[in-house]
Amino acid sequence: MPYEDRARLAGLWQAEIDLFRAQRPRSAQLFAEATPHLPDGVPMLWMAKWPGPWPVYVQSASGSHFLDVDGIDHVDLCLGDTGAMCGHAPPPAVAAISAQLAKGSTFMLPTADAAAAAALLAERFGVPAWQFSLSATDANRSLIRYARQVTGRPKIVVHDYCYHGTVDEAYATLDDSGAVVERRGTIGAPVPPSLTTAVVPFNDIEALEVVLATGEIAAMLMEPALTNIGIVLPDPGYHAAVRELCTRFGVILIIDETHTLSAGPGGMIARDGLDPDAVVVGKSIGGGIPAGAYGMTASFSALVRESLELEDIDVGGVGGTLAGNALSLAGIRATLSQVLTADAFPTMIDRATEWTVGVQSALDEFHVPWQVTQLGARAEYSFRQTAPHDGAEAAHADDFELQQYLHLHALNRGILITPFHNMALMAPSTTAADVERHTVAFREAVVSLFA
Ligand code: PMP
C-alpha cells in the first residue's frame, strides 16, 4: 500500500469532508433537488467519482477558472479531462460557434468549414484524409471497423491499461498469467474480450511481435504515451519498433492523440516524428463542443473507400447522424486556427513545468517516495518512486483513498484536478498564479500526510 498510516488518512479525510459540507450549501441543495430524477445527482454516473458528499455544481466558467453555485472560484486543472483544454469559453471559438448556431447547425451536408478543418488537421498530423465524429470514442470505433474491413482480420491489439473511450474492444487487460481478461469494472461486456482483442504491455516489443505474428490482428490502437493510468512515456526506439512491426505484419497503426495533443500542436506525432496509418483526436478540438476527428494516410483511405459500395455506405456501421455537423466543424476550424495554435503551446508547457517543479519540491522537502511525469502541457504524480514503465506498474501504484483525499483537499482550496488520477492540464489561459495556488495547497497536503 503506497501510504501506510490509514488512521491518519481517515482523520484527514473526515476533516476535509466537514470543510466541504460547510462551504457548499447551495450545491447540497441542488443535489437534493436532483436526486429524484438523476441517480447520484449527476447526469452521468461516473461524475459521482468526484470526491465529497455531493457534487460541486458549476455556475459559470471562463479561461482556466470556474465559479461554483456557492460563489467559490476554482483554478481548473482538470479542464473537462481535456475537453476544455482550450480554456473555458475561448472567445474565438465561442464567436465562430455562435455565428454558425444562428445560421443552422446540422444539415447532413458539408459547409466550407469542413474542408478547412480537415486541411488544418492534415497539416498538423501529417496524414491527408479526414473524417469527423462527435467524440474520440466514435473516431476510434470507426477506424477499428475500417481496419477490419481492409485487412479482413478479426482482432485489434491494445496496451495493457489503455483507455480509448467506451470502445468495447479496448476493455481488456492481462491477468497475472498473461491471459486477456475483462478490465476490472467493465460494465456488461458484449463478448469475452479475448475474442476481439490482444493485449500487450506498453514498451514491450517482444510481446507485440508474438501477437502480430498470429496474423489475426487488423489494427494496433495506441496512445503514443499512456495518459489514462498515470503517464507512461515510451522508451527510446519504442515507436520506431512498433512502426516496423506493423508494417511487417500488415497491421493498421492507429495513434490516438486525444490526450497526447498536450505534447504540442501536432501531438507526439509531430513532436517525435511518428508515422501512423491513422490518427484520432477529439475532446479539445471543438473548443468545448462535441467534436472528434480521424485522419488516414492516402493509401489506407483509398483502400477503405474502394471497399465500400455507395448504396450501402450509410448502413455499414460507421456513421452518426450529427457527426460532421456544421457546428462542430465551425468549432474545430476556429479552435485550431485561433486558440490551440502553435504559439499557444510554449506557455502551456511552461505552466506544466512550473506545476511539476512545485510538486517535486514538496516531495523532495518531505522525502516522499512519489514521482512526477510531464508530457508537454500535462503532468501527473503517482504514488511510486520511479516513473512507471508500463500500465500494470502504474496501476499497482494506485491508492484510491489517498487519491480521493488529495483531490478533496485541493477542491477545498479552490483547485480542481481530474477525478480519475493525479493529473493536471494547462490551458493557454492558465497563469503562473494559478499553478502557484496548486503548489501551495499540494505542499500543505504533503505536510498533513508526512510531517
Ligand atoms: N482516447 C483517449 C486517449 C482518451 O483519453 C479518451 C477519454 N479519456 C477517449 C479516447 C474518449 O474520449 P471521449 O470520451 O470524448 O469519446
Side-chain angles (χ1 to χ4, degrees), residues 46 81-83 134-140 162-167 221-225 227-228 256-260 280-283 291 378 420 423:
W46 54 255
D81 194 19
T82 311
L134 293 180
S135 66
T137 297
D138 246 4
N140 282 322
C162 69
Y163 188 78
H164 295 282
T166 54
V167 175
L221 173 60
M222 66 180 288
E223 280 193 285
T227 66
N228 283 288
D256 180 349
E257 289 265 31
T258 304
H259 275 186
T260 47
V280 167
V281 275
K283 296 198 181 187
R378 175 188 301 286
F420 308 127
M423 186 163 75

PDB file of all heavy atoms in Angstrom, residues 46 81-83 134-140 162-167 221-225 227-228 256-260 280-283 291 378 420 423, ligand 1:
ATOM      1  N   TRP A  46     -20.491   8.288 -13.829  1.00  0.00           N
ATOM      2  CA  TRP A  46     -19.081   8.422 -13.465  1.00  0.00           C
ATOM      3  C   TRP A  46     -18.782   9.761 -12.815  1.00  0.00           C
ATOM      4  O   TRP A  46     -17.766   9.919 -12.142  1.00  0.00           O
ATOM      5  CB  TRP A  46     -18.157   8.139 -14.653  1.00  0.00           C
ATOM      6  CG  TRP A  46     -18.402   8.928 -15.911  1.00  0.00           C
ATOM      7  CD1 TRP A  46     -18.992   8.466 -17.059  1.00  0.00           C
ATOM      8  CD2 TRP A  46     -18.064  10.291 -16.178  1.00  0.00           C
ATOM      9  NE1 TRP A  46     -19.043   9.474 -18.000  1.00  0.00           N
ATOM     10  CE2 TRP A  46     -18.485  10.594 -17.491  1.00  0.00           C
ATOM     11  CE3 TRP A  46     -17.436  11.297 -15.423  1.00  0.00           C
ATOM     12  CZ2 TRP A  46     -18.305  11.852 -18.068  1.00  0.00           C
ATOM     13  CZ3 TRP A  46     -17.271  12.552 -15.997  1.00  0.00           C
ATOM     14  CH2 TRP A  46     -17.703  12.811 -17.300  1.00  0.00           C
ATOM     15  N   ASP A  81     -11.338  17.047 -18.234  1.00  0.00           N
ATOM     16  CA  ASP A  81     -10.455  15.937 -18.644  1.00  0.00           C
ATOM     17  C   ASP A  81     -10.051  16.088 -20.111  1.00  0.00           C
ATOM     18  O   ASP A  81     -10.150  15.154 -20.908  1.00  0.00           O
ATOM     19  CB  ASP A  81     -11.109  14.572 -18.374  1.00  0.00           C
ATOM     20  CG  ASP A  81     -10.082  13.445 -18.462  1.00  0.00           C
ATOM     21  OD1 ASP A  81      -8.878  13.723 -18.363  1.00  0.00           O
ATOM     22  OD2 ASP A  81     -10.492  12.285 -18.642  1.00  0.00           O
ATOM     23  N   THR A  82      -9.653  17.286 -20.458  1.00  0.00           N
ATOM     24  CA  THR A  82      -9.108  17.671 -21.772  1.00  0.00           C
ATOM     25  C   THR A  82     -10.160  18.273 -22.714  1.00  0.00           C
ATOM     26  O   THR A  82      -9.820  18.976 -23.658  1.00  0.00           O
ATOM     27  CB  THR A  82      -8.362  16.511 -22.485  1.00  0.00           C
ATOM     28  OG1 THR A  82      -7.447  15.909 -21.576  1.00  0.00           O
ATOM     29  CG2 THR A  82      -7.584  16.972 -23.705  1.00  0.00           C
ATOM     30  N   GLY A  83     -11.442  18.051 -22.429  1.00  0.00           N
ATOM     31  CA  GLY A  83     -12.485  18.645 -23.273  1.00  0.00           C
ATOM     32  C   GLY A  83     -12.390  20.161 -23.308  1.00  0.00           C
ATOM     33  O   GLY A  83     -12.776  20.799 -24.294  1.00  0.00           O
ATOM     34  N   LEU A 134     -18.464  12.794 -33.297  1.00  0.00           N
ATOM     35  CA  LEU A 134     -18.820  13.654 -32.159  1.00  0.00           C
ATOM     36  C   LEU A 134     -17.931  13.391 -30.954  1.00  0.00           C
ATOM     37  O   LEU A 134     -18.022  14.090 -29.954  1.00  0.00           O
ATOM     38  CB  LEU A 134     -20.284  13.441 -31.772  1.00  0.00           C
ATOM     39  CG  LEU A 134     -21.289  13.920 -32.817  1.00  0.00           C
ATOM     40  CD1 LEU A 134     -22.711  13.658 -32.341  1.00  0.00           C
ATOM     41  CD2 LEU A 134     -21.104  15.410 -33.110  1.00  0.00           C
ATOM     42  N   SER A 135     -17.113  12.368 -31.030  1.00  0.00           N
ATOM     43  CA  SER A 135     -16.267  12.034 -29.881  1.00  0.00           C
ATOM     44  C   SER A 135     -15.051  11.255 -30.358  1.00  0.00           C
ATOM     45  O   SER A 135     -15.059  10.662 -31.447  1.00  0.00           O
ATOM     46  CB  SER A 135     -17.045  11.168 -28.878  1.00  0.00           C
ATOM     47  OG  SER A 135     -17.337   9.910 -29.463  1.00  0.00           O
ATOM     48  N   ALA A 136     -14.040  11.234 -29.518  1.00  0.00           N
ATOM     49  CA  ALA A 136     -12.857  10.414 -29.808  1.00  0.00           C
ATOM     50  C   ALA A 136     -13.223   8.935 -29.781  1.00  0.00           C
ATOM     51  O   ALA A 136     -12.693   8.140 -30.555  1.00  0.00           O
ATOM     52  CB  ALA A 136     -11.760  10.718 -28.787  1.00  0.00           C
ATOM     53  N   THR A 137     -14.136   8.573 -28.886  1.00  0.00           N
ATOM     54  CA  THR A 137     -14.610   7.188 -28.852  1.00  0.00           C
ATOM     55  C   THR A 137     -15.077   6.747 -30.227  1.00  0.00           C
ATOM     56  O   THR A 137     -14.683   5.700 -30.743  1.00  0.00           O
ATOM     57  CB  THR A 137     -15.790   7.054 -27.854  1.00  0.00           C
ATOM     58  OG1 THR A 137     -15.346   7.372 -26.550  1.00  0.00           O
ATOM     59  CG2 THR A 137     -16.377   5.660 -27.875  1.00  0.00           C
ATOM     60  N   ASP A 138     -15.946   7.545 -30.811  1.00  0.00           N
ATOM     61  CA  ASP A 138     -16.516   7.165 -32.104  1.00  0.00           C
ATOM     62  C   ASP A 138     -15.475   7.184 -33.215  1.00  0.00           C
ATOM     63  O   ASP A 138     -15.568   6.387 -34.157  1.00  0.00           O
ATOM     64  CB  ASP A 138     -17.690   8.084 -32.455  1.00  0.00           C
ATOM     65  CG  ASP A 138     -18.996   7.300 -32.477  1.00  0.00           C
ATOM     66  OD1 ASP A 138     -18.961   6.094 -32.154  1.00  0.00           O
ATOM     67  OD2 ASP A 138     -20.029   7.884 -32.827  1.00  0.00           O
ATOM     68  N   ALA A 139     -14.513   8.066 -33.119  1.00  0.00           N
ATOM     69  CA  ALA A 139     -13.430   8.059 -34.098  1.00  0.00           C
ATOM     70  C   ALA A 139     -12.664   6.738 -34.003  1.00  0.00           C
ATOM     71  O   ALA A 139     -12.372   6.096 -35.022  1.00  0.00           O
ATOM     72  CB  ALA A 139     -12.496   9.245 -33.843  1.00  0.00           C
ATOM     73  N   ASN A 140     -12.374   6.300 -32.782  1.00  0.00           N
ATOM     74  CA  ASN A 140     -11.679   5.014 -32.607  1.00  0.00           C
ATOM     75  C   ASN A 140     -12.514   3.855 -33.140  1.00  0.00           C
ATOM     76  O   ASN A 140     -12.002   2.971 -33.829  1.00  0.00           O
ATOM     77  CB  ASN A 140     -11.357   4.793 -31.126  1.00  0.00           C
ATOM     78  CG  ASN A 140     -10.150   5.596 -30.669  1.00  0.00           C
ATOM     79  OD1 ASN A 140      -9.187   5.729 -31.414  1.00  0.00           O
ATOM     80  ND2 ASN A 140     -10.207   6.124 -29.468  1.00  0.00           N
ATOM     81  N   CYS A 162      -4.801   0.533 -21.188  1.00  0.00           N
ATOM     82  CA  CYS A 162      -5.093   1.661 -22.084  1.00  0.00           C
ATOM     83  C   CYS A 162      -6.484   2.203 -21.779  1.00  0.00           C
ATOM     84  O   CYS A 162      -7.300   1.551 -21.113  1.00  0.00           O
ATOM     85  CB  CYS A 162      -5.048   1.194 -23.540  1.00  0.00           C
ATOM     86  SG  CYS A 162      -6.412   0.084 -23.960  1.00  0.00           S
ATOM     87  N   TYR A 163      -6.770   3.383 -22.287  1.00  0.00           N
ATOM     88  CA  TYR A 163      -8.148   3.870 -22.340  1.00  0.00           C
ATOM     89  C   TYR A 163      -8.326   4.627 -23.645  1.00  0.00           C
ATOM     90  O   TYR A 163      -7.537   5.515 -23.962  1.00  0.00           O
ATOM     91  CB  TYR A 163      -8.494   4.774 -21.141  1.00  0.00           C
ATOM     92  CG  TYR A 163      -9.974   5.102 -21.107  1.00  0.00           C
ATOM     93  CD1 TYR A 163     -10.904   4.181 -20.639  1.00  0.00           C
ATOM     94  CD2 TYR A 163     -10.448   6.320 -21.588  1.00  0.00           C
ATOM     95  CE1 TYR A 163     -12.264   4.460 -20.639  1.00  0.00           C
ATOM     96  CE2 TYR A 163     -11.805   6.603 -21.587  1.00  0.00           C
ATOM     97  CZ  TYR A 163     -12.712   5.674 -21.108  1.00  0.00           C
ATOM     98  OH  TYR A 163     -14.057   5.953 -21.121  1.00  0.00           O
ATOM     99  N   HIS A 164      -9.360   4.249 -24.393  1.00  0.00           N
ATOM    100  CA  HIS A 164      -9.639   4.908 -25.670  1.00  0.00           C
ATOM    101  C   HIS A 164     -11.107   5.294 -25.773  1.00  0.00           C
ATOM    102  O   HIS A 164     -11.647   5.363 -26.880  1.00  0.00           O
ATOM    103  CB  HIS A 164      -9.246   3.993 -26.830  1.00  0.00           C
ATOM    104  CG  HIS A 164      -7.771   3.705 -26.906  1.00  0.00           C
ATOM    105  ND1 HIS A 164      -6.863   4.616 -27.412  1.00  0.00           N
ATOM    106  CD2 HIS A 164      -7.045   2.626 -26.501  1.00  0.00           C
ATOM    107  CE1 HIS A 164      -5.637   4.097 -27.340  1.00  0.00           C
ATOM    108  NE2 HIS A 164      -5.712   2.909 -26.783  1.00  0.00           N
ATOM    109  N   GLY A 165     -11.766   5.546 -24.627  1.00  0.00           N
ATOM    110  CA  GLY A 165     -13.199   5.821 -24.654  1.00  0.00           C
ATOM    111  C   GLY A 165     -13.967   4.521 -24.483  1.00  0.00           C
ATOM    112  O   GLY A 165     -13.413   3.480 -24.128  1.00  0.00           O
ATOM    113  N   THR A 166     -15.276   4.600 -24.729  1.00  0.00           N
ATOM    114  CA  THR A 166     -16.123   3.423 -24.492  1.00  0.00           C
ATOM    115  C   THR A 166     -16.140   2.525 -25.732  1.00  0.00           C
ATOM    116  O   THR A 166     -17.179   2.246 -26.321  1.00  0.00           O
ATOM    117  CB  THR A 166     -17.542   3.851 -24.087  1.00  0.00           C
ATOM    118  OG1 THR A 166     -18.049   4.750 -25.090  1.00  0.00           O
ATOM    119  CG2 THR A 166     -17.556   4.555 -22.754  1.00  0.00           C
ATOM    120  N   VAL A 167     -14.963   2.093 -26.104  1.00  0.00           N
ATOM    121  CA  VAL A 167     -14.772   1.197 -27.246  1.00  0.00           C
ATOM    122  C   VAL A 167     -14.708  -0.223 -26.695  1.00  0.00           C
ATOM    123  O   VAL A 167     -13.785  -0.555 -25.944  1.00  0.00           O
ATOM    124  CB  VAL A 167     -13.440   1.542 -27.968  1.00  0.00           C
ATOM    125  CG1 VAL A 167     -13.156   0.552 -29.077  1.00  0.00           C
ATOM    126  CG2 VAL A 167     -13.462   2.968 -28.488  1.00  0.00           C
ATOM    127  N   LEU A 221      -4.212  -0.188 -31.811  1.00  0.00           N
ATOM    128  CA  LEU A 221      -4.747   1.095 -31.342  1.00  0.00           C
ATOM    129  C   LEU A 221      -3.948   1.499 -30.118  1.00  0.00           C
ATOM    130  O   LEU A 221      -3.923   0.765 -29.123  1.00  0.00           O
ATOM    131  CB  LEU A 221      -6.235   0.954 -30.989  1.00  0.00           C
ATOM    132  CG  LEU A 221      -6.901   2.156 -30.326  1.00  0.00           C
ATOM    133  CD1 LEU A 221      -6.843   3.400 -31.209  1.00  0.00           C
ATOM    134  CD2 LEU A 221      -8.354   1.833 -29.960  1.00  0.00           C
ATOM    135  N   MET A 222      -3.275   2.643 -30.201  1.00  0.00           N
ATOM    136  CA  MET A 222      -2.405   3.017 -29.080  1.00  0.00           C
ATOM    137  C   MET A 222      -2.368   4.529 -28.843  1.00  0.00           C
ATOM    138  O   MET A 222      -2.509   5.323 -29.780  1.00  0.00           O
ATOM    139  CB  MET A 222      -0.974   2.528 -29.332  1.00  0.00           C
ATOM    140  CG  MET A 222      -0.265   3.188 -30.493  1.00  0.00           C
ATOM    141  SD  MET A 222       1.432   2.550 -30.739  1.00  0.00           S
ATOM    142  CE  MET A 222       2.284   3.275 -29.331  1.00  0.00           C
ATOM    143  N   GLU A 223      -2.208   4.896 -27.587  1.00  0.00           N
ATOM    144  CA  GLU A 223      -1.763   6.253 -27.268  1.00  0.00           C
ATOM    145  C   GLU A 223      -0.241   6.255 -27.397  1.00  0.00           C
ATOM    146  O   GLU A 223       0.410   5.289 -26.967  1.00  0.00           O
ATOM    147  CB  GLU A 223      -2.105   6.616 -25.830  1.00  0.00           C
ATOM    148  CG  GLU A 223      -3.520   7.042 -25.559  1.00  0.00           C
ATOM    149  CD  GLU A 223      -3.616   7.669 -24.170  1.00  0.00           C
ATOM    150  OE1 GLU A 223      -3.578   6.924 -23.166  1.00  0.00           O
ATOM    151  OE2 GLU A 223      -3.715   8.891 -24.081  1.00  0.00           O
ATOM    152  N   PRO A 224       0.356   7.329 -27.906  1.00  0.00           N
ATOM    153  CA  PRO A 224       1.814   7.333 -28.044  1.00  0.00           C
ATOM    154  C   PRO A 224       2.543   7.388 -26.700  1.00  0.00           C
ATOM    155  O   PRO A 224       3.707   6.998 -26.596  1.00  0.00           O
ATOM    156  CB  PRO A 224       2.090   8.576 -28.884  1.00  0.00           C
ATOM    157  CG  PRO A 224       0.857   9.407 -28.805  1.00  0.00           C
ATOM    158  CD  PRO A 224      -0.285   8.481 -28.527  1.00  0.00           C
ATOM    159  N   ALA A 225       1.849   7.867 -25.671  1.00  0.00           N
ATOM    160  CA  ALA A 225       2.276   7.681 -24.280  1.00  0.00           C
ATOM    161  C   ALA A 225       0.980   7.357 -23.548  1.00  0.00           C
ATOM    162  O   ALA A 225      -0.051   7.961 -23.852  1.00  0.00           O
ATOM    163  CB  ALA A 225       2.890   8.949 -23.708  1.00  0.00           C
ATOM    164  N   THR A 227      -1.780   7.879 -21.002  1.00  0.00           N
ATOM    165  CA  THR A 227      -2.122   9.041 -20.164  1.00  0.00           C
ATOM    166  C   THR A 227      -3.333   8.777 -19.291  1.00  0.00           C
ATOM    167  O   THR A 227      -3.836   9.687 -18.636  1.00  0.00           O
ATOM    168  CB  THR A 227      -2.452  10.274 -21.020  1.00  0.00           C
ATOM    169  OG1 THR A 227      -3.659  10.006 -21.750  1.00  0.00           O
ATOM    170  CG2 THR A 227      -1.340  10.638 -21.976  1.00  0.00           C
ATOM    171  N   ASN A 228      -3.826   7.556 -19.322  1.00  0.00           N
ATOM    172  CA  ASN A 228      -5.056   7.292 -18.583  1.00  0.00           C
ATOM    173  C   ASN A 228      -4.849   6.353 -17.402  1.00  0.00           C
ATOM    174  O   ASN A 228      -5.811   5.894 -16.790  1.00  0.00           O
ATOM    175  CB  ASN A 228      -6.116   6.722 -19.533  1.00  0.00           C
ATOM    176  CG  ASN A 228      -6.743   7.811 -20.398  1.00  0.00           C
ATOM    177  OD1 ASN A 228      -7.515   8.626 -19.899  1.00  0.00           O
ATOM    178  ND2 ASN A 228      -6.406   7.848 -21.680  1.00  0.00           N
ATOM    179  N   ASP A 256      -3.815   7.349 -31.171  1.00  0.00           N
ATOM    180  CA  ASP A 256      -4.879   8.141 -30.551  1.00  0.00           C
ATOM    181  C   ASP A 256      -4.224   9.297 -29.787  1.00  0.00           C
ATOM    182  O   ASP A 256      -3.637   9.093 -28.724  1.00  0.00           O
ATOM    183  CB  ASP A 256      -5.679   7.222 -29.617  1.00  0.00           C
ATOM    184  CG  ASP A 256      -6.816   7.932 -28.897  1.00  0.00           C
ATOM    185  OD1 ASP A 256      -6.869   9.170 -28.938  1.00  0.00           O
ATOM    186  OD2 ASP A 256      -7.635   7.219 -28.283  1.00  0.00           O
ATOM    187  N   GLU A 257      -4.338  10.497 -30.343  1.00  0.00           N
ATOM    188  CA  GLU A 257      -3.672  11.685 -29.772  1.00  0.00           C
ATOM    189  C   GLU A 257      -4.634  12.545 -28.948  1.00  0.00           C
ATOM    190  O   GLU A 257      -4.335  13.709 -28.665  1.00  0.00           O
ATOM    191  CB  GLU A 257      -3.095  12.548 -30.902  1.00  0.00           C
ATOM    192  CG  GLU A 257      -1.883  11.943 -31.592  1.00  0.00           C
ATOM    193  CD  GLU A 257      -0.555  12.456 -31.017  1.00  0.00           C
ATOM    194  OE1 GLU A 257      -0.482  12.778 -29.811  1.00  0.00           O
ATOM    195  OE2 GLU A 257       0.396  12.531 -31.821  1.00  0.00           O
ATOM    196  N   THR A 258      -5.758  11.961 -28.555  1.00  0.00           N
ATOM    197  CA  THR A 258      -6.770  12.743 -27.841  1.00  0.00           C
ATOM    198  C   THR A 258      -6.186  13.469 -26.618  1.00  0.00           C
ATOM    199  O   THR A 258      -6.502  14.628 -26.370  1.00  0.00           O
ATOM    200  CB  THR A 258      -7.922  11.818 -27.423  1.00  0.00           C
ATOM    201  OG1 THR A 258      -8.418  11.186 -28.599  1.00  0.00           O
ATOM    202  CG2 THR A 258      -9.037  12.585 -26.747  1.00  0.00           C
ATOM    203  N   HIS A 259      -5.360  12.790 -25.857  1.00  0.00           N
ATOM    204  CA  HIS A 259      -4.737  13.416 -24.680  1.00  0.00           C
ATOM    205  C   HIS A 259      -3.319  13.904 -24.953  1.00  0.00           C
ATOM    206  O   HIS A 259      -2.880  14.911 -24.404  1.00  0.00           O
ATOM    207  CB  HIS A 259      -4.668  12.410 -23.526  1.00  0.00           C
ATOM    208  CG  HIS A 259      -5.916  12.339 -22.714  1.00  0.00           C
ATOM    209  ND1 HIS A 259      -6.014  11.576 -21.565  1.00  0.00           N
ATOM    210  CD2 HIS A 259      -7.127  12.929 -22.872  1.00  0.00           C
ATOM    211  CE1 HIS A 259      -7.226  11.703 -21.056  1.00  0.00           C
ATOM    212  NE2 HIS A 259      -7.926  12.508 -21.833  1.00  0.00           N
ATOM    213  N   THR A 260      -2.589  13.148 -25.794  1.00  0.00           N
ATOM    214  CA  THR A 260      -1.175  13.481 -26.011  1.00  0.00           C
ATOM    215  C   THR A 260      -0.991  14.710 -26.892  1.00  0.00           C
ATOM    216  O   THR A 260       0.149  15.159 -27.083  1.00  0.00           O
ATOM    217  CB  THR A 260      -0.434  12.278 -26.611  1.00  0.00           C
ATOM    218  OG1 THR A 260      -1.221  11.763 -27.693  1.00  0.00           O
ATOM    219  CG2 THR A 260      -0.242  11.178 -25.575  1.00  0.00           C
ATOM    220  N   VAL A 280      -6.246   9.693 -34.339  1.00  0.00           N
ATOM    221  CA  VAL A 280      -7.508  10.093 -33.704  1.00  0.00           C
ATOM    222  C   VAL A 280      -7.273  11.310 -32.821  1.00  0.00           C
ATOM    223  O   VAL A 280      -6.293  11.369 -32.080  1.00  0.00           O
ATOM    224  CB  VAL A 280      -8.071   8.934 -32.848  1.00  0.00           C
ATOM    225  CG1 VAL A 280      -9.197   9.418 -31.940  1.00  0.00           C
ATOM    226  CG2 VAL A 280      -8.557   7.815 -33.748  1.00  0.00           C
ATOM    227  N   VAL A 281      -8.173  12.276 -32.943  1.00  0.00           N
ATOM    228  CA  VAL A 281      -8.195  13.397 -31.996  1.00  0.00           C
ATOM    229  C   VAL A 281      -9.647  13.661 -31.608  1.00  0.00           C
ATOM    230  O   VAL A 281     -10.572  13.278 -32.326  1.00  0.00           O
ATOM    231  CB  VAL A 281      -7.565  14.703 -32.555  1.00  0.00           C
ATOM    232  CG1 VAL A 281      -6.076  14.719 -32.379  1.00  0.00           C
ATOM    233  CG2 VAL A 281      -7.934  14.946 -33.996  1.00  0.00           C
ATOM    234  N   GLY A 282      -9.823  14.341 -30.483  1.00  0.00           N
ATOM    235  CA  GLY A 282     -11.191  14.622 -30.039  1.00  0.00           C
ATOM    236  C   GLY A 282     -11.152  15.620 -28.903  1.00  0.00           C
ATOM    237  O   GLY A 282     -10.215  16.401 -28.779  1.00  0.00           O
ATOM    238  N   LYS A 283     -12.183  15.564 -28.063  1.00  0.00           N
ATOM    239  CA  LYS A 283     -12.271  16.379 -26.845  1.00  0.00           C
ATOM    240  C   LYS A 283     -12.052  17.865 -27.105  1.00  0.00           C
ATOM    241  O   LYS A 283     -13.005  18.600 -27.320  1.00  0.00           O
ATOM    242  CB  LYS A 283     -11.282  15.865 -25.790  1.00  0.00           C
ATOM    243  CG  LYS A 283     -11.592  14.448 -25.306  1.00  0.00           C
ATOM    244  CD  LYS A 283     -10.898  14.149 -23.994  1.00  0.00           C
ATOM    245  CE  LYS A 283     -11.187  12.735 -23.512  1.00  0.00           C
ATOM    246  NZ  LYS A 283     -10.687  12.468 -22.195  1.00  0.00           N
ATOM    247  N   ALA A 291     -16.832  17.145 -30.612  1.00  0.00           N
ATOM    248  CA  ALA A 291     -16.154  17.030 -31.904  1.00  0.00           C
ATOM    249  C   ALA A 291     -15.053  15.988 -31.800  1.00  0.00           C
ATOM    250  O   ALA A 291     -14.306  15.955 -30.829  1.00  0.00           O
ATOM    251  CB  ALA A 291     -15.546  18.368 -32.311  1.00  0.00           C
ATOM    252  N   ARG A 378       0.745  18.768 -19.855  1.00  0.00           N
ATOM    253  CA  ARG A 378       0.065  17.881 -18.906  1.00  0.00           C
ATOM    254  C   ARG A 378       1.118  17.295 -17.977  1.00  0.00           C
ATOM    255  O   ARG A 378       2.243  17.033 -18.397  1.00  0.00           O
ATOM    256  CB  ARG A 378      -0.582  16.792 -19.753  1.00  0.00           C
ATOM    257  CG  ARG A 378      -1.261  15.672 -19.107  1.00  0.00           C
ATOM    258  CD  ARG A 378      -1.660  14.604 -20.125  1.00  0.00           C
ATOM    259  NE  ARG A 378      -2.547  15.042 -21.195  1.00  0.00           N
ATOM    260  CZ  ARG A 378      -3.838  15.298 -21.072  1.00  0.00           C
ATOM    261  NH1 ARG A 378      -4.430  15.161 -19.905  1.00  0.00           N
ATOM    262  NH2 ARG A 378      -4.566  15.685 -22.104  1.00  0.00           N
ATOM    263  N   PHE A 420      -9.916  11.013 -12.022  1.00  0.00           N
ATOM    264  CA  PHE A 420      -9.532   9.644 -12.387  1.00  0.00           C
ATOM    265  C   PHE A 420      -8.122   9.299 -11.931  1.00  0.00           C
ATOM    266  O   PHE A 420      -7.809   8.164 -11.669  1.00  0.00           O
ATOM    267  CB  PHE A 420      -9.679   9.437 -13.895  1.00  0.00           C
ATOM    268  CG  PHE A 420     -11.037   9.839 -14.394  1.00  0.00           C
ATOM    269  CD1 PHE A 420     -11.197  10.720 -15.438  1.00  0.00           C
ATOM    270  CD2 PHE A 420     -12.181   9.343 -13.774  1.00  0.00           C
ATOM    271  CE1 PHE A 420     -12.456  11.090 -15.876  1.00  0.00           C
ATOM    272  CE2 PHE A 420     -13.448   9.712 -14.211  1.00  0.00           C
ATOM    273  CZ  PHE A 420     -13.589  10.589 -15.267  1.00  0.00           C
ATOM    274  N   MET A 423      -3.732  14.078 -12.255  1.00  0.00           N
ATOM    275  CA  MET A 423      -3.246  14.738 -13.459  1.00  0.00           C
ATOM    276  C   MET A 423      -3.681  16.199 -13.496  1.00  0.00           C
ATOM    277  O   MET A 423      -4.781  16.530 -13.085  1.00  0.00           O
ATOM    278  CB  MET A 423      -3.823  14.003 -14.669  1.00  0.00           C
ATOM    279  CG  MET A 423      -3.301  14.482 -15.979  1.00  0.00           C
ATOM    280  SD  MET A 423      -3.657  13.257 -17.255  1.00  0.00           S
ATOM    281  CE  MET A 423      -5.411  13.508 -17.491  1.00  0.00           C
TER     282      MET A 423
HETATM  283  N1  PMP B   1      -8.972   8.362 -26.370  1.00  0.00           N
HETATM  284  C1  PMP B   1      -8.284   8.725 -25.291  1.00  0.00           C
HETATM  285  C2  PMP B   1      -6.796   8.599 -25.295  1.00  0.00           C
HETATM  286  C3  PMP B   1      -8.937   9.203 -24.162  1.00  0.00           C
HETATM  287  O1  PMP B   1      -8.245   9.551 -23.082  1.00  0.00           O
HETATM  288  C4  PMP B   1     -10.350   9.293 -24.179  1.00  0.00           C
HETATM  289  C5  PMP B   1     -11.134   9.792 -22.984  1.00  0.00           C
HETATM  290  N2  PMP B   1     -10.478   9.943 -21.805  1.00  0.00           N
HETATM  291  C6  PMP B   1     -11.012   8.942 -25.340  1.00  0.00           C
HETATM  292  C7  PMP B   1     -10.309   8.460 -26.414  1.00  0.00           C
HETATM  293  C8  PMP B   1     -12.504   9.035 -25.430  1.00  0.00           C
HETATM  294  O2  PMP B   1     -12.930  10.344 -25.476  1.00  0.00           O
HETATM  295  P1  PMP B   1     -14.497  10.613 -25.420  1.00  0.00           P
HETATM  296  O3  PMP B   1     -14.947  10.101 -24.090  1.00  0.00           O
HETATM  297  O4  PMP B   1     -14.602  12.087 -25.528  1.00  0.00           O
HETATM  298  O5  PMP B   1     -15.103   9.882 -26.540  1.00  0.00           O
END
